[in-house]
Amino acid sequence: MNPNQTVEDESHPYITAASRRIQCLSLHLTPLPPSQPSPQLNMLICAKAANKLEVDKVSLSTYMRGENRDIQEKIIEFFESRPDLQTPVGVPMNEHRELCMRQLVALVREAKIKPFRYVVDDPAKYFAITEAIGSIDVSLGIKLGVQFSLWGGSVLNLGTEKHRDKYFDGIDNLDYPGCFAMTELHHGSNVQGLQTTATFDPVTDEFIIDTPNDGAIKWWIGNAAVHGKFATVFAKLILPTHDSKKVSDMGVHAFIVPIRDLNTLQTLPGIEIHDCGHKVGLNGVDNGALRFRSVRIPRDNLLNRFGDVSRDGKYTSSLPTINKRFAAMLGELVGGRVGLAYASVGFLKISVTIAVRYSLLRQQFGPPKQPEVSILDYQSQQHKLMPMLASSYAFHFATHYLVQKYSEMKKMHDEQLVADVHALSAGLKAYVTSYTAKSLSTCREACGGHGYAAVNRFGSFRNDHDIFQTFEGDNTVLMQQVAADLLKQYKDKFQGGTLSVTWNYLRESMNTYLSQPNPIIARWESADHLRDPKFQLDAFRYRTSRLLQSVAARLRKHSKTLGSFGAWNRCLNHLLLLAESHTESVILAKFIEAVHNCPDASSRAALKLVCDLYALDHIWNDIGTYRNVDYVAPNKAKAIHKLTEYLCFQVRNIAGELVDGFDLPASVTRAPIAMQSEAYAQYTHHIGF
């Protein structure tokens, strides 16, 4: 059949339908020459697209890219120029591990990019590096994080000058690859329950590291199975005493423990290392298990920023209690959570970009005698992808704000700022990674069968990213920390205490939010009102405040009969909903602020449209909550639904420009068919999008 031929014979509907389908398939199998773009593949313009916004993509991408785009482009260009360092599809585990190590060494020694130097001094640049590295290979991004943020970061953040002087260069140039040995077989989230011990021997001036039982084996330790030479081991510090107890447990501390010979890489005496084997994802990272049998290390190997032991076995600390020392130690390790939230947004952007570009070009069905239409013109596809695109922008600004606050914390060491960043990082890490995990599957589904091809990386992203919901803090546990902090702020508010920056809206307007909704405002339904940032943010915060007040009352009630632990467990789902609601309020606040600060008018208008969709889609999805308390009248609820539908359609009209605004390199999205409408042969030739 001639690809340009049109089916004219409509005497039999079944023959007509079959002929049309054969004609369409023939275009796939016998495409037009690349020099003659097929009209069937041109992106279709919606009926109302004449009213679409004009977006200056250069200005938008400039606003989005931030200050560290240059180093990201340098990283991408380096790996693009080195085919020997690119990760092939389906690479076996052992080969993948060695490739990741070669990639990391090449980055540091050949490309001359030294991430470790930015861990403390310029966290924003460090996280930008990890984002670029993760887009090349997620395993490489995690291996880099283990080396520089976890192992290296523990030395910098928990040690003192003597440790930095001794280990900095070796960590920086990869002579000292290392591990972060915190998690045990029986304890992960409950770090204070770790069972590994470090007992001080005053005779030899050494600590003795022991694994007392199988449950105390260090488990899932990155870099341990193959490449690690050192490990930061978290263990209970045990000191001998002269009383009836004979020993004193000073709580969990961190110790530098050599695990392999620096030259031969042979396992050192007393160290047992086992390979955790093949995983669901991240198989370029060599996770292992560590067991210690009376391993002796010098007293100086105690990372002693928050607590030290003298030669005669005396313990000293500027912090008076085990709990305060523990909190200070964990507070210095929140960088991992910040990095995961930031990286997760990167994966979401890539996946949304591929799915949106594919959906703009892919055509299926249409009116009789008319060309097939873009699948993004279908309302169902818009509802899958447009709120996700809006969330990608929202998360971008929220995580950049988190990085900014984290950078300030590293410079100022303000106690209140540390607490604020701890809670903010917990909420954003948990919320963003959970959302991204679900979205990766949605993006795969939105691309149909083509999304199932391994080269498109939806599968590898989904598998590699899945663990983001668990390490650096299980998401359910982290959300409970957010809820606990909110309850503390609630208590402080009514006892006259101060409130931290993140939750200052509780101080400013708690009484307003807890009063009865204004019956007049509850019925306002104009588009101007619904698109007013004040209405949107007030609605988000009203929900959070209602949840906070009600869960506080429930906890008080149940504590009388169940005790504090039982009451917490009884109200756990309510607490998680509270934490989620609060985190969404913070995200929206940062998005509104970013829209306001955008200097280019066309970009600002586009961001405002996306922000409105993000806000109203969330309000509509929880409309029952607002209706139950008459915060929104029935007519207003209907108006919110209609406006959300309209905004979804309008965002679809500029979806191509919006994903271009992410300014992702073509090699990262790997989507040639989604970036140009040439012959379908290009699609089948590349296999990937």
Side-chain angles (χ1 to χ4, degrees), residues 557-586:
K557 172 186 173 183
H558 291 304
S559 294
K560 297 174 183 177
T561 55
L562 301 175
S564 58
F565 180 85
W568 187 270
N569 194 37
R570 176 66 67 87
C571 301
L572 187 51
N573 288 336
H574 193 159
L575 289 160
L576 295 175
L577 189 60
L578 165 65
E580 182 179 290
S581 176
H582 164 69
T583 305
E584 288 172 351
S585 297
V586 173

Side-chain angles (χ1 to χ4, degrees), residues 254-301:
F255 303 82
I256 296 176
V257 182
I259 60 173
R260 286 187 174 92
D261 185 275
L262 292 178
N263 299 313
T264 67
L265 290 183
Q266 292 298 307
T267 304
L268 294 175
I271 307 285
E272 294 180 13
I273 303 177
H274 300 277
D275 197 324
C276 288
H278 202 277
K279 307 183 292 293
V280 170
L282 297 178
N283 282 299
V285 182
D286 52 315
N287 292 88
L290 299 172
R291 184 168 201 148
F292 307 97
R293 297 187 185 274
S294 299
V295 176
R296 290 180 172 268
I297 60 172
R299 179 170 54 88
D300 278 350
N301 283 28

Side-chain angles (χ1 to χ4, degrees), residues 2-14:
N2 183 345
N4 294 314
Q5 180 180 339
T6 302
V7 178
E8 301 289 350
D9 182 9
E10 297 190 4
S11 60
H12 197 296
Y14 296 107

Side-chain angles (χ1 to χ4, degrees), residues 64-69 71-72 123-134 334-349 392 395-404 406-407 425 428-430 432-433 436 465 468:
M64 292 289 291
R65 66 168 46 184
E67 301 176 353
N68 295 302
R69 184 62 179 186
I71 197 166
Q72 290 182 316
K125 180 171 284 190
Y126 174 77
F127 293 128
I129 291 171
T130 61
E131 180 184 30
I133 290 295
V334 298
R337 294 175 187 171
V338 176
L340 287 182
Y342 192 92
S344 185
V345 178
F347 301 140
L348 182 61
K349 289 178 189 174
S392 302
F395 296 169
H396 170 90
F397 294 118
T399 53
H400 275 68
Y401 169 72
L402 174 60
V403 169
Q404 175 192 333
Y406 176 75
S407 300
S425 63
L428 286 177
K429 183 269 185 186
V432 170
T433 58
T436 298
H465 177 276
F468 281 41

Side-chain angles (χ1 to χ4, degrees), residues 338-385:
V338 176
L340 287 182
Y342 192 92
S344 185
V345 178
F347 301 140
L348 182 61
K349 289 178 189 174
I350 293 170
S351 300
V352 169
T353 296
I354 295 174
V356 166
R357 285 176 173 165
Y358 173 82
S359 298
L360 283 167
L361 193 65
R362 178 69 166 177
Q363 297 168 335
Q364 293 290 285
F365 307 108
K369 300 183 182 181
Q370 297 293 321
E372 292 187 298
V373 302
S374 162
I375 62 174
L376 199 56
D377 284 339
Y378 289 100
Q379 190 180 66
S380 57
Q381 193 80 343
Q382 293 173 12
H383 280 222
K384 282 180 185 176
L385 296 179

